[in-house]
Amino acid sequence: MSDEVRALAPGFTHVAIEAQGLVNGPSTDASAELLDDAARRLAVRLDGRAPHEDPHMAAWREVYTVFGPKPSRTRNSAEALARRALSEAGLPRINLLVDLYNAISVAHLIPVGGEDIDRIEGGMCLVRATGEEDFVTVRWRGGGRAPRGGRGRMARRHGRDLPPLELAPGPT
């Protein structure tokens, strides 16, 4: 985490887990069940409340706000997924690995992301976006868009930048 991010959100902590030998593939019945189970757990946890009314999500909103976005207009990934999980449409099935980390995010109301470690050179570091970064998301496949300046994002020395408030490489 950069010194700038640490100064903005002194109580914020993050965890990075590296897994080797994973093989991704299309969504399966098992990954769909993980997503459905996570949505059920979330519904029980919230007991009719909106995701932003959960104290844990309220704390995430406070941290997210430090980076500039208004959480009611631009939700962090955990809140956006939680809202989808509770909607009629439910959670999308993307692929095995994305389904897995989306299920973890929804079940625990935490932002979770994943990156192909083989495409990252150098370490990863949570930094503030400058507004000049391009990155490609599933939604924006084939094109990039820059996060607004000041938002948190993980940055890498090489390769595509990661979405705001996710991961990117830092000094090695």
Side-chain angles (χ1 to χ4, degrees), residues 24-28 31-32 35 92-102 138 141:
N24 200 5
S27 298
T28 63
S31 68
L35 290 167
R93 278 55 174 164
I94 307 294
N95 62 49
L96 284 173
L97 294 177
V98 173
D99 291 355
L100 174 62
Y101 68 70
N102 281 349
V138 171
R141 200 172 282 157

Side-chain angles (χ1 to χ4, degrees), residues 58-132:
W60 271 110
R61 277 178 155 232
E62 284 180 39
V63 170
Y64 196 63
T65 301
V66 169
F67 291 96
K70 292 180 169 60
S72 57
R73 286 187 50 205
T74 306
R75 291 171 183 83
N76 70 60
S77 62
E79 186 175 348
L81 276 173
R83 288 172 53 94
R84 285 207 59 184
L86 298 172
S87 75
E88 233 177 82
L91 290 167
R93 278 55 174 164
I94 307 294
N95 62 49
L96 284 173
L97 294 177
V98 173
D99 291 355
L100 174 62
Y101 68 70
N102 281 349
I104 292 167
S105 178
V106 168
H108 300 284
L109 279 180
I110 56 173
V112 177
E115 293 299 321
D116 184 344
I117 197 78
D118 292 335
R119 295 178 183 240
I120 297 173
E121 295 181 25
M124 293 174 55
C125 183
L126 181 63
V127 299
R128 289 188 82 189
T130 65
E132 301 298 315

Side-chain angles (χ1 to χ4, degrees), residues 127-144:
V127 299
R128 289 188 82 189
T130 65
E132 301 298 315
E133 300 86 351
D134 283 333
F135 63 90
V136 178
T137 66
V138 171
R139 182 176 177 193
W140 298 93
R141 200 172 282 157

